[in-house]
Amino acid sequence: MDLAMLFETMLGLTSLSALWTGLWLWWHARFQPVLKPLAGFCAMMAVWCGGHLALQHDLLLPGKALILANPLMPAFFLQFALAYVTAQPQQPQLRWIEWLRQYQSWFLLASVLVVLLSWSQPSARVQALYGMPVFFLFDGFGWFNLAYTVLLGMLAHWVLWRGRHAYHGNKHHSVVAISMTAGLGLLLATSFVFPSLGLNWYPYPMLVLPLYLVLLVYSVVRYQMLAVNAFASRALVYLVMGLLLLLLMALMSSLFGQFGMPALAAVPGWQLWLYSSLLLLLAAAAYRPASRLAERLIFPGVQLSEAMVSRWQQQLSLAADWQQLAEQSALLIRQPLKQPVQICLLQGAELLAQSAEVSALKLMVIATDSDDQSGKHWQFSIPGEQGLTPTLKLTAEVFGSLLVSSCGRLQSALALAEAQKQQLAQQHLVELGALAASMAHELRNPLNIISMASAAVDAELRGHIQTQLKRADRLIADMLVYAGRLQLQPTLFPLQPLVQSLLLQAPDGVRTELAMPADLQLYADPYRIQQVLQNLFDNAFAFLRNQPGACLRVEASTSDTEVQIRVLNNGPALDPALLDGQLFRPFVSKRAGGSGLGLAIVARIILAHQGRIQHDTDPDWPVCFTLYLPVVSGEIR
């Protein structure tokens, strides 16, 4: 084959492959828009190669026009580079790429303008070269066309090369591969300029253009389409086998004569290679049927199919609880294994469910705690698998894997359902709180009427009525505080004066002690903190009243992260039953006349301040409540 025919063949192959690749990319651009400008690049490469072919068939004017349209190639490639690199940028120093992206339509418009000017001006000539009747040479305005094309192509490659810094992992590798492949293509394509520069070199690099196009597309989509990787893997295997076959045929043809087989030695090498390639293709076509036959011979009996596995997945996903999953699993696997199977689902040593039918063959799925704290790890075992044939054993293992996945999904679904149930319960409590607040407001009106009506009765009865009205008013006030929404208004205030004013309300016979720094300041809502201390003091006074040696002590100290306030008294110790998580719940008070909401309100206010309260054990004080309030932005002194 002479050089002119080789040139025409390779460019024809490049044009056809570029056209097919462009259509394929355009079809997939429905799901990945970044491929659309790459499809335009492939189409323009097909047009460019078609221009060279037109010149070889004396179509001079169309050939020149198609070749002079080459600025559109880098214009489309620049659009692709900008779309591919700026999809998910990670570095702000590449903002210039985003600026180029905003003006990318202007580059395309400028390319169209250069093409139109090239068509209207003397830009190219042809001459006989390398045994070809005509070969394209730049002339006149064509040099500007060439310079613009090269500069635009370099800009596109610079965008890709610089944009690689914005990504890590697969995307980074993909950008590097595209940059290197595209740079190779730029060098291959520009080899046709040699004659225009007076270099009498045959453009051998242009003969490799079909391979360049394949490498470019593969470097773009290899990390995005699994089908492309599978196809490339098979193609590489076939290519390696074909090369090995070619070497083998060359070796055999040289040895045929030495082994007394001159007839075979006289057969042309290309015929041997062609016959061997046909045998290779036939062997590749027969591989799948032969492998299926081998599977049936080695694994006789029930054959797994995609439809069977899909049906298993669908049926197992319908189970709403553990028992239903066990029963459904036993029903599904019974027929393929040709015997009854008992399904046992366990969580550690706890049996979650098992199928009703008792069988010697069991399939057990056990959940254990995962080491990486990702939840439960499910695994299956078949204690009686020794009696199964290889096919049935494979079937049981596949079904067990599906059952393991179903157990994980069911566990997640049940956990989600429980979370939704708790959310509904929480919402119900919120509604009850709103109802309680509304009722508390409504109760104040009849209480006021009763208070006014009691003015007409005798003094003793009026005293009893007023006492109960005050108790009811206190209960209503506590309900409003507990059920209402806490809105804090924090400020910086000295703590000691507030505590001293509350301790002045101590009843006769109760001694008070205060131990805290005089300059201690607290950043919190002073009204809410007063409520907390008032409730704690009232509870203490109720038990200390009329008790010999009664004492209430308040201590406070600070650290780098929190303020600690201790309220202690030497009254009777709390009931141990209340200390087991019940102390700060509403309506568990044992104090006569109490509303049962005092400590619950205290805990709610402290929690709203991002603090905590607890009852501590102190050898010198039977009752000790400790408040922990956080230091906010270093405001507490």
Side-chain angles (χ1 to χ4, degrees):
M1 182 181 295
D2 58 12
L3 294 179
M5 181 61 68
L6 180 62
F7 180 81
E8 187 174 348
T9 301
M10 298 310 294
L11 284 185
L13 181 61
T14 303
S15 181
L16 291 176
S17 60
L19 183 60
W20 180 87
T21 304
L23 293 175
W24 182 83
L25 290 173
W26 184 268
W27 176 259
H28 285 279
R30 298 174 301 160
F31 311 105
Q32 301 185 54
V34 71
L35 299 179
K36 187 174 294 185
L38 190 61
F41 169 79
C42 293
M44 289 311 302
M45 176 169 282
V47 169
W48 184 80
C49 294
H52 285 281
L53 294 175
L55 292 180
Q56 305 306 312
H57 295 276
D58 296 328
L59 300 174
L60 301 184
L61 186 59
K64 291 180 182 179
L66 294 179
I67 295 176
L68 289 173
N70 61 351
L72 295 176
M73 262 195 300
F76 280 119
F77 193 77
L78 177 61
Q79 283 191 329
F80 161 74
L82 293 173
Y84 195 79
V85 169
T86 58
Q88 293 179 346
Q90 298 178 356
Q91 292 189 351
Q93 59 264 35
L94 299 177
R95 292 176 181 173
W96 60 273
I97 296 182
E98 186 63 27
W99 179 85
L100 287 177
R101 188 183 184 190
Q102 294 176 1
Y103 294 97
Q104 59 182 335
S105 58
W106 290 98
F107 288 102
L108 183 59
L109 183 60
S111 301
V112 173
L113 181 60
V114 171
V115 172
L116 294 177
L117 290 175
S118 301
W119 288 349
S120 63
Q121 302 289 328
S123 303
R125 58 189 177 87
V126 294
Q127 71 177 43
L129 199 64
Y130 312 124
M132 292 179 284
V134 290
F135 194 85
F136 182 90
L137 299 176
F138 284 102
D139 192 18
F141 190 80
W143 291 107
F144 180 81
N145 179 296
L146 175 63
Y148 176 83
T149 301
V150 173
L151 291 177
L152 197 60
M154 293 175 62
L155 177 61
H157 291 80
W158 179 250
V159 168
L160 282 175
W161 187 249
R162 290 292 298 167
R164 77 189 191 281
H165 297 296
Y167 301 95
H168 303 282
N170 287 340
K171 190 63 178 288
H172 173 80
H173 299 321
S174 181
V175 172
V176 172
I178 296 170
S179 303
M180 299 177 64
T181 307
L184 173 65
L186 184 63
L187 294 176
L188 296 179
T190 53
S191 63
F192 87 103
V193 185
F194 294 159
S196 301
L197 299 175
L199 302 175
N200 193 18
W201 296 343
Y202 181 84
Y204 285 102
M206 293 181 65
L207 304 181
V208 196
L209 282 177
L211 180 61
Y212 152 70
L213 193 65
V214 173
L215 291 177
L216 175 63
V217 175
Y218 179 62
S219 62
V220 173
V221 300
R222 63 171 300 189
Y223 294 111
Q224 303 180 36
M225 299 181 184
L226 295 179
V228 172
N229 290 277
F231 173 78
S233 177
R234 292 194 300 268
L236 184 60
V237 171
Y238 293 148
L239 178 62
V240 172
M241 292 179 65
L243 292 176
L244 292 176
L245 184 62
L246 182 61
L247 294 176
L248 180 62
M249 289 299 100
L251 179 63
M252 292 179 62
S253 61
S254 63
L255 296 177
F256 283 156
Q258 300 180 10
F259 286 102
M261 293 180 287
L264 291 176
V267 177
W270 69 270
Q271 291 185 8
L272 289 175
W273 186 81
L274 178 62
Y275 297 152
S276 302
S277 299
L278 291 176
L279 291 177
L280 180 62
L281 291 176
L282 291 176
Y287 172 76
R288 295 296 296 274
S291 63
R292 291 174 183 173
L293 177 62
E295 287 180 0
R296 289 187 177 274
L297 292 177
I298 296 176
F299 298 104
V302 177
Q303 295 294 322
L304 289 173
S305 64
E306 185 177 350
M308 179 184 295
V309 174
S310 177
R311 184 173 62 87
W312 285 348
Q313 288 179 326
Q314 182 180 5
Q315 294 297 324
L316 291 175
S317 64
L318 298 178
D321 53 44
W322 296 113
Q323 187 60 39
Q324 187 177 357
L325 180 60
E327 297 292 345
Q328 185 68 24
S329 302
L331 184 63
L332 289 174
I333 197 60
R334 178 189 179 106
Q335 183 177 0
L337 295 188
K338 299 182 172 64
Q339 58 180 305
V341 180
Q342 187 177 31
I343 305 295
C344 300
L345 307 178
L346 301 96
Q347 184 168 321
E350 178 187 358
L351 180 64
L352 296 176
Q354 67 179 7
S355 56
E357 190 171 14
V358 179
S359 171
L361 181 61
K362 292 185 178 181
L363 197 157
M364 305 180 66
V365 180
I366 306 174
T368 57
D369 291 324
S370 178
D371 295 335
D372 57 2
Q373 297 181 352
S374 59
K376 298 295 182 181
H377 176 67
W378 294 88
Q379 55 186 358
F380 74 93
S381 62
I382 312 174
E385 66 179 0
Q386 293 79 5
L388 297 177
T389 63
T391 301
L392 299 182
K393 182 179 178 181
L394 176 62
T395 302
E397 290 178 350
V398 172
F399 183 82
S401 300
L402 294 178
L403 184 54
V404 163
S405 301
S406 298
C407 288
R409 287 196 300 269
L410 180 59
Q411 183 183 26
S412 300
L414 293 177
L416 179 60
E418 181 63 24
Q420 291 176 345
K421 181 180 178 181
Q422 293 180 359
Q423 184 179 5
L424 291 175
Q426 186 69 24
Q427 182 179 358
H428 182 62
L429 290 177
V430 172
E431 293 174 352
L432 286 178
L435 178 61
S438 177
M439 291 183 62
H441 281 294
E442 293 297 329
L443 285 174
R444 287 190 183 274
N445 292 329
L447 290 178
N448 290 333
I449 296 175
I450 295 174
S451 178
M452 290 185 293
S454 65
V457 300
D458 60 88
E460 183 179 357
L461 181 57
R462 183 169 61 253
H464 288 297
I465 294 175
Q466 292 297 327
T467 300
Q468 296 303 318
L469 287 176
K470 289 180 181 179
R471 179 186 175 189
D473 187 70
R474 178 64 183 272
L475 177 59
I476 291 173
D478 288 346
M479 289 181 63
L480 288 175
V481 173
Y482 185 77
R485 180 180 179 182
L486 284 179
Q487 294 183 346
L488 301 181
Q489 297 180 353
T491 185
L492 191 64
F493 67 95
L495 182 60
Q496 190 182 70
L498 175 63
V499 178
Q500 288 176 337
S501 65
L502 295 176
L503 291 179
L504 293 176
Q505 304 174 14
D508 295 337
V510 177
R511 180 169 52 89
T512 60
E513 297 178 358
L514 180 60
M516 69 171 57
D519 59 345
L520 189 147
Q521 292 186 320
L522 185 64
Y523 186 77
D525 188 327
Y527 172 70
R528 297 301 184 183
I529 296 299
Q530 180 180 351
Q531 282 185 291
V532 168
L533 297 176
Q534 184 72 64
N535 284 349
L536 292 177
F537 292 173
D538 286 347
N539 280 347
F541 293 153
F543 289 101
L544 292 174
R545 187 178 284 108
N546 300 324
Q547 178 177 318
C551 181
L552 173 68
R553 179 178 176 84
V554 181
E555 301 175 351
S557 61
T558 62
S559 66
D560 294 337
T561 59
E562 61 186 8
V563 173
Q564 183 182 112
I565 304 174
R566 304 182 74 202
V567 180
L568 313 102
N569 69 79
N570 59 355
L574 298 179
D575 187 349
L578 295 177
L579 300 179
D580 188 17
Q582 302 291 323
L583 186 59
F584 299 102
R585 299 188 64 179
F587 307 115
V588 295
S589 174
K590 297 296 184 179
R591 178 166 65 90
S595 66
L597 291 173
L599 292 180
I601 292 173
V602 168
R604 187 158 184 250
I605 293 176
I606 295 300
L607 184 62
H609 282 81
Q610 307 299 319
R612 67 187 191 279
I613 180 174
Q614 64 188 35
H615 181 272
D616 295 329
T617 301
D618 190 290
D620 299 326
W621 300 92
V623 181
C624 174
F625 287 97
T626 306
L627 311 178
Y628 299 90
L629 293 169
V631 172
V632 180
S633 303
E635 300 265 4
I636 299 180
R637 304 289 187 265

